[in-house]
Amino acid sequence: MHDLPLRPRRLRRSKNIRRLARETRLSTDHLIAPLFVKAGTNVQEEVSSMPGQYRFSVDRLVDEAAALNALGIPGIALFPAVPDARKTPDARAALAPDGLYPRALRALKEAVPELLIISDTALDPYNSDGHDGIVHGGVIDNDATLDVMAEMAVLHAEAGADIIAPSDMMDGRVGYLRAALDDAGYADVALLSYTAKYASSFYGPFRDALDSAPRHRAHVPRDKATYQMDPANSDEALRELRLDLNEGADLVMVKPALPYLDVIRRMKEASDVPVAAYNVSGEYAMLKAAAANGWLDERACALEMLLSIRRAGADVILTYFAKSAAQWLAGRE
Ligand code: PBG
């Protein structure tokens, strides 16, 4: 024996001592499942770049939501797949009181009232230019976009959304939506701000799912770099955090998650509201592809990824692995 009084391995010797020493836990309590809805009945269509994820018609969406609720998942984040024929430069389909999205919210609330619904107020699913904001003269019109989003937020609140999540990165939208919701009598509806949403290339499969990528046309910006954040920056995330907290955000979010764990940590240290992280479509697709090839163990790697996002500081994780993880954590699969 050598003289080694300090032996960190003493705390790793057995399963039970590792349980005592464990600093971070992953539970279903933290997970939110993003879901896609589309028109029709009895539709469940797999997204080719996201195996195991589907576009559901409202009836099937409700069944899926009930299954997630039964697994103990606290909530879902809903995104609509809108056919091209309904997309316009002013994204007006977003404001139809009987449109697909409010109908889906009402059906969900009726069938599974306790499951939290996080609704999305960005315009890209409805915008024929494929941007989160209205394009005017080749640029994104921040303030015109706010007006549409405020109307959308009130429509979603009316239809039963518990939490409204602007995923657009327009300046001032948290305060603007807060005021609109309060004026309309929805002071109890919370705001989850996409506080630091990066101009990331990891959103590709999501844009496949909704066919929502920026259109390659004259006078349409080719990417989202004038509103989503530069991947090189993290001080700027704290500036966005300060603004969102001042404007009344109830929860704040970093997106994507794995390439931005440092930002999650900085945000967690500076935030006095819960911090969410969005483990996005490209992060999901990478692991699914590797697992399908037999190169990685899906379950072990997914749980390790989610735990890492928790360790970085996320209180809430939006992840396409939510349903599988809930099953794995319950020991049901
Ligand atoms: C757009 C939006 C995007 C995602 C959620 N909302 C993509 C984008 O900004 O182009 C991406 C989610 C994912 O990749 O899983 N408002």
Side-chain angles (χ1 to χ4, degrees):
M1 276 290 237
H2 296 294
D3 178 21
L4 292 177
L6 299 179
R7 289 177 184 265
R9 288 184 55 202
R10 282 195 285 262
L11 290 180
R12 301 178 201 139
R13 282 183 66 217
S14 68
K15 199 167 180 196
N16 276 337
I17 204 152
R18 289 193 297 274
R19 281 175 69 208
L20 292 186
R22 190 154 295 146
E23 298 171 34
T24 308
R25 280 173 218 276
L26 175 67
S27 100
T28 301
D29 292 345
H30 308 291
L31 305 179
I32 297 290
L35 294 178
F36 303 118
V37 64
K38 68 174 288 183
T41 44
N42 202 24
V43 177
Q44 174 167 351
E45 183 180 279
E46 191 165 43
V47 179
S48 55
S49 50
M50 302 177 73
Q53 300 299 312
Y54 304 88
R55 300 178 198 91
F56 295 100
S57 54
V58 172
D59 53 329
R60 298 289 285 268
L61 176 75
V62 165
D63 295 344
E64 181 67 6
L68 297 171
N69 187 52
L71 282 165
I73 291 175
I76 62 167
L78 188 64
F79 300 95
V82 177
D84 259 356
R86 305 218 57 214
K87 299 188 186 190
T88 55
D90 59 2
R92 81 180 86 89
L95 302 178
D98 270 315
L100 169 69
Y101 201 86
R103 278 192 286 114
L105 298 182
R106 285 192 286 267
L108 287 164
K109 261 304 137 195
E110 160 119 28
V112 209
E114 67 276 26
L115 184 71
L116 295 172
I117 308 178
I118 302 178
S119 82
D120 192 272
T121 53
L123 303 189
D124 50 316
Y126 313 92
N127 184 342
S128 49
D129 293 326
H131 277 284
D132 296 42
I134 305 278
V135 181
H136 276 158
V139 297
I140 307 298
D141 186 334
N142 191 93
D143 299 18
T145 302
L146 293 186
D147 291 324
V148 184
M149 287 177 53
E151 214 178 312
M152 248 173 122
V154 172
L155 179 66
H156 295 180
E158 230 164 52
D162 300 283
I163 300 176
I164 302 218
S167 64
D168 56 293
M169 291 303 277
M170 295 303 116
D171 288 338
R173 89 275 212 218
V174 171
Y176 204 74
L177 296 190
R178 185 69 273 157
L181 289 167
D182 290 355
D183 284 350
Y186 297 106
D188 289 339
V189 171
L191 286 172
L192 159 59
S193 176
Y194 284 64
T195 298
K197 175 169 177 177
Y198 286 88
S200 169
S201 297
F202 285 93
Y203 307 147
F206 176 97
R207 294 177 187 173
D208 294 342
L210 302 188
D211 188 23
S212 62
R215 300 298 188 242
H216 285 201
R217 263 206 305 273
H219 310 299
V220 175
R222 293 181 80 80
D223 59 36
K224 301 190 176 182
T226 69
Y227 47 108
Q228 298 181 346
M229 277 179 51
D230 184 337
N233 295 353
S234 78
D235 290 347
E236 191 182 353
L238 297 187
R239 179 164 186 234
E240 289 282 5
L241 173 68
R242 175 164 49 83
L243 298 178
D244 280 357
L245 293 176
N246 287 340
E247 292 175 32
D250 299 287
L251 303 107
V252 294
M253 186 151 69
V254 176
K255 173 185 180 183
L258 295 172
Y260 299 89
L261 292 178
D262 57 320
V263 181
I264 297 173
R265 168 50 49 187
R266 289 191 74 184
M267 196 92 109
K268 179 63 183 166
E269 281 166 6
S271 173
D272 56 7
V273 301
V275 174
Y278 199 142
N279 178 220
V280 300
S281 57
E283 301 172 61
Y284 176 81
M286 284 196 295
L287 176 49
K288 289 299 260 193
N293 276 295
W295 298 336
L296 288 173
D297 176 332
E298 179 182 345
R299 173 185 166 139
C301 289
L303 290 172
E304 182 177 335
M305 282 179 171
L306 296 174
L307 183 68
S308 307
I309 297 167
R310 288 272 303 129
R311 192 194 60 239
D315 303 293
V316 176
I317 307 174
L318 277 71
T319 178
Y320 302 96
F321 287 112
K323 186 179 191 184
S324 296
Q327 288 165 333
W328 295 326
L329 293 167
R332 286 193 216 172
E333 220 171 67

